[in-house]
Amino acid sequence: MHLLNADLHSHSHVSDGTLSPEDLAQRAHAQGVEVWALTDHDEVRGLAAARQAALAQGMAFLTGTEISVSFAGETVHIVGLGFDAEDTALQAGLADTRGGRRARAQAMADGLAAAGVGGAFEGALRYVSNPDLISRTHFARFLVETGVCNDTYEVFRRFLTEGKPGYVPHQWARLGDAVKWITQAGGVAVIAHPARYKFSATAEYALFSEFVAHGGQGVEVMTGSHSEAERVRYAEVAEEFGLLASRGSDFHSPTESRTDLGTLPDLPGRLRPVWEALAHRIQRP
Ligand code: AMP
Ligand code: MN
Ligand code: MN
Ligand code: MN
């Protein structure tokens, strides 16, 4: 059976993407995406425009968000799909999670200034559409624009990752809270890009088992940040933990993202796609 072209992970300028929700919907449709979810970091405020634009294009739509979580000393991202975006507990949880971003950005700018890169707070802000969502990506764009680095990947490597001058440790949401906000709003929680975390085997096992114990049900197998070997590995992990499998490009920008919307390979046929479990939550044109 031919699998659906579902892309369930992408960002608009409501978080750290560069396109509006409407332009992202248009690009997803042009790329052949049949079911699309917008998953802005710690935000749902782009979903109404995204939904309207998706349905106008004739494309099916799922609500989404990508929640920043602190677990075992690492930042982990939990994607929520198919929830009720009006749910007040979810909205309050996301507002709390976003809350410290401005002070964190100030501290990042201080660190960068000490390393000789001045004006980074104001510089990053020029790329921000949502004042509640200043992200490392906005700083990265500023450092590329000013010629300090050649591309955003270089900025992260030299300035914005642990131990580097612009990195500021931050306390995000708790894993159990993030999963609860999503599931109690009728959605499915999914571990995003699991290969990106620098966990020991023990800590990774703890992440998956605690996630499942809290009611988490899915894992990204096909994502823009997995190599072929990592796709194979997390397909096995999905089976081991009985998780639904997801597929999403994690698209942020036409000029920065290496994986465009709708272009990843299909999920391995033996895995159960998360969008099948969410059939009743998919909004159709
Ligand atoms: P923040 O939520 O402010 O910590 O920013 C996290 C975002 O930065 C991620 O969602 C990615 O878009 C981007 N990012 C994180 N690490 C890297 C990296 N090594 N290279 C490029 N972008 C990255
Ligand atoms: Mn991002
Ligand atoms: Mn992520
Ligand atoms: Mn993402």
Side-chain angles (χ1 to χ4, degrees), residues 50-59 285:
R51 171 180 177 277
Q52 192 175 28
L55 301 186
Q57 302 275 340
M59 182 170 61

Side-chain angles (χ1 to χ4, degrees), residues 4-195:
L4 205 63
N5 192 343
D7 193 321
L8 305 184
H9 190 152
S10 59
H11 298 273
S12 77
H13 69 196
V14 173
S15 65
D16 61 348
T18 59
L19 301 182
S20 66
E22 291 86 348
D23 287 348
L24 201 59
Q26 193 168 26
R27 189 180 183 96
H29 184 250
Q31 286 287 121
V33 173
E34 294 165 282
V35 182
W36 173 58
L38 173 67
T39 56
D40 276 314
H41 296 284
D42 309 324
E43 264 293 7
V44 292
R45 284 181 285 185
L47 293 179
R51 171 180 177 277
Q52 192 175 28
L55 301 186
Q57 302 275 340
M59 182 170 61
F61 182 74
L62 274 171
T63 55
T65 186
E66 181 176 20
I67 305 181
S68 313
V69 160
S70 295
F71 183 86
E74 277 274 318
T75 298
V76 168
H77 286 169
I78 301 295
V79 163
L81 296 170
F83 48 78
D84 169 13
E86 303 300 322
D87 185 90
T88 49
L90 171 70
Q91 290 190 354
L94 294 179
D96 273 353
T97 307
R98 291 191 294 270
R101 279 186 177 270
R102 200 173 180 90
R104 170 195 187 230
Q106 281 287 6
M108 287 172 61
D110 292 346
L112 289 168
V117 182
F121 185 78
E122 296 72 21
L125 266 187
R126 283 196 274 113
Y127 293 88
V128 170
S129 302
N130 173 0
D132 294 338
L133 217 115
I134 315 177
S135 113
R136 284 186 288 164
T137 314
H138 301 114
F139 283 85
R141 291 185 183 130
F142 169 68
L143 268 74
V144 171
E145 177 204 69
T146 50
V148 177
C149 294
N150 287 316
D151 59 38
T152 53
Y153 295 92
E154 184 188 340
V155 184
F156 276 89
R157 201 171 57 245
R158 286 178 52 199
F159 291 101
L160 299 181
T161 43
E162 202 169 342
K164 303 300 164 63
Y167 183 78
V168 174
H170 195 72
Q171 195 62 41
W172 299 107
R174 290 196 299 210
L175 178 66
D177 288 340
V179 172
K180 186 184 69 187
W181 299 332
I182 295 162
T183 53
Q184 292 191 350
V188 166
V190 175
I191 298 179
H193 43 64

